[in-house]
Amino acid sequence: MRPDASPLVAALAVGGVLLVGVYLVAVLDRVVGAVVAGAPVRVGGLLAGPVRAAALLLVQRYRGTERFDAPGWALAPALLLGLAAVALGLVPLGPDLVAADPATGFVVFSAAIAFVMIAVFLHGWSPNAVFPLHGAYRYAAQALSFQIPFLLAMLATALPAESLSIVEIVRAQASIWNVVRQPLGLPLYLVVGLAVSFWGPLNLPDGADLAEGTSAEDAGVARLLWQAARAAMLVAVAAMGAAGFLGGWWGPWLPGPVWVLVKSVALLVVLVAAGHLLARIRIERFVVVAWAVLIPLALLNVFIAGAVLL
């Protein structure tokens, strides 16, 4: 939004983009799944599939567990959706087209990502059941492992801009994008982005081996909201990746907002495809890889980015 836009208009715009993004993730998931399985791609069915699935969940009977925490269960998806909205609201569509551009935008985004652990843990703890609680503890271990490489990968993008503002980070990529300047950055960001949004091979808290983990007791509207919140976080991660590494609004011929959309959708396709092409790994293996491989690589990426500036 332009600087003179009202907060209500900015909030409605971010909410609308998130709603479209969630629908797009659902469609992409079906399209990529059909392509990987070699099944015919029927456009009508793929476009109507998410709407039909959402309608079925809306009319599904509510289900609870014994002595569950009702406020916590209701708050968890709302918190995850809110954090996705905060992260997405920092992504600029143009130099003067952003919902919020605080001077410490990088810090705000990092805080939103850190609070995802609270939303997921609350979602697993509230049903007062074994599998959801197990999934919650899984995500706690997962989050403690990916937070450092995630922040380091994003921190390296702030070095060329010499600013923590997301707009300035994009502006600094006018001549060369960070994906070229920091070749390790985007792969690291995508790996830990899957962990943040617990999607595909890193969907450990809601894994099938735990009977869907934190979602095991969800039904009806509660399941729909949680699935929408997960997809919204994936959209926010993809959009911030486009801003931080792919030059945001910079690009020839097309208007800046179109370039942001194209780059965000491209990253969404990569993230969604990972869920169909890569097998889910065990939590203990991910923890070892995160501490022994991802963190050293992320530090190396920061050192290289700093050395280039000298």
Side-chain angles (χ1 to χ4, degrees):
M1 297 298 100
R2 297 188 183 283
D4 56 350
S6 73
L8 179 60
V9 173
L12 289 176
V14 172
V17 172
L18 266 187
L19 185 62
V20 174
V22 168
Y23 173 74
L24 181 61
V25 169
V27 172
L28 284 176
D29 194 41
R30 284 167 168 76
V31 171
V32 175
V35 171
V36 171
V41 178
R42 297 185 175 87
V43 177
L46 292 171
L47 294 177
V51 179
R52 186 165 51 242
L56 287 174
L57 288 175
L58 283 174
V59 299
Q60 195 175 62
R61 185 177 180 181
Y62 175 77
R63 184 182 67 194
T65 56
E66 185 177 355
R67 302 182 67 180
F68 62 93
D69 183 346
W73 210 345
L75 179 63
L79 178 58
L80 191 57
L81 272 171
L83 293 173
V86 168
L88 188 66
L90 298 168
V91 177
L93 297 175
D96 298 317
L97 198 60
V98 58
D101 179 30
T104 55
F106 168 78
V107 178
V108 176
F109 176 71
S110 302
I113 296 302
F115 276 108
V116 171
M117 183 173 70
I118 296 177
V120 178
F121 195 88
L122 185 62
H123 188 246
W125 177 79
S126 301
N128 191 30
V130 174
F131 286 134
L133 189 59
H134 195 154
Y137 278 109
R138 265 193 184 182
Y139 192 78
Q142 185 173 329
L144 292 174
S145 304
F146 72 65
Q147 293 283 2
I148 295 177
F150 189 84
L151 296 181
L152 289 175
M154 281 300 299
L155 178 63
T157 66
L159 294 180
E162 299 182 1
S163 170
L164 296 178
S165 163
I166 305 300
V167 171
E168 294 303 320
I169 289 174
V170 177
R171 205 188 301 273
Q173 300 176 70
S175 57
I176 181 170
W177 296 356
N178 282 334
V179 67
V180 178
R181 188 186 281 145
Q182 304 167 11
L184 287 176
L186 184 58
L188 282 169
Y189 178 85
L190 292 178
V191 170
V192 291
L194 285 172
V196 169
S197 46
F198 44 110
W199 196 272
L202 295 177
N203 181 16
L204 304 178
D206 284 1
D209 59 326
L210 281 182
E212 297 189 321
T214 69
S215 301
E217 302 295 341
D218 284 350
V221 176
R223 176 173 289 272
L224 175 62
L225 290 176
W226 186 247
Q227 290 178 352
R230 287 183 56 211
M233 184 52 68
L234 198 68
V235 172
V237 168
M240 186 57 77
F245 296 95
L246 298 182
W249 65 75
W250 296 110
W253 307 307
L254 299 175
V258 177
W259 273 117
V260 175
L261 178 63
V262 169
K263 295 170 184 176
S264 300
V265 172
L267 291 184
L268 262 184
V269 171
V270 173
L271 293 170
V272 170
H276 293 275
L277 298 174
L278 302 176
R280 189 176 62 252
I281 66 173
R282 299 201 309 269
I283 179 66
E284 59 268 30
R285 181 166 297 177
F286 173 74
V287 170
V288 171
V289 169
W291 286 93
V293 179
L294 297 183
I295 291 178
L297 285 178
L299 283 171
L300 178 63
N301 186 51
V302 172
F303 294 153
I304 293 174
V308 170
L309 293 176
L310 295 177

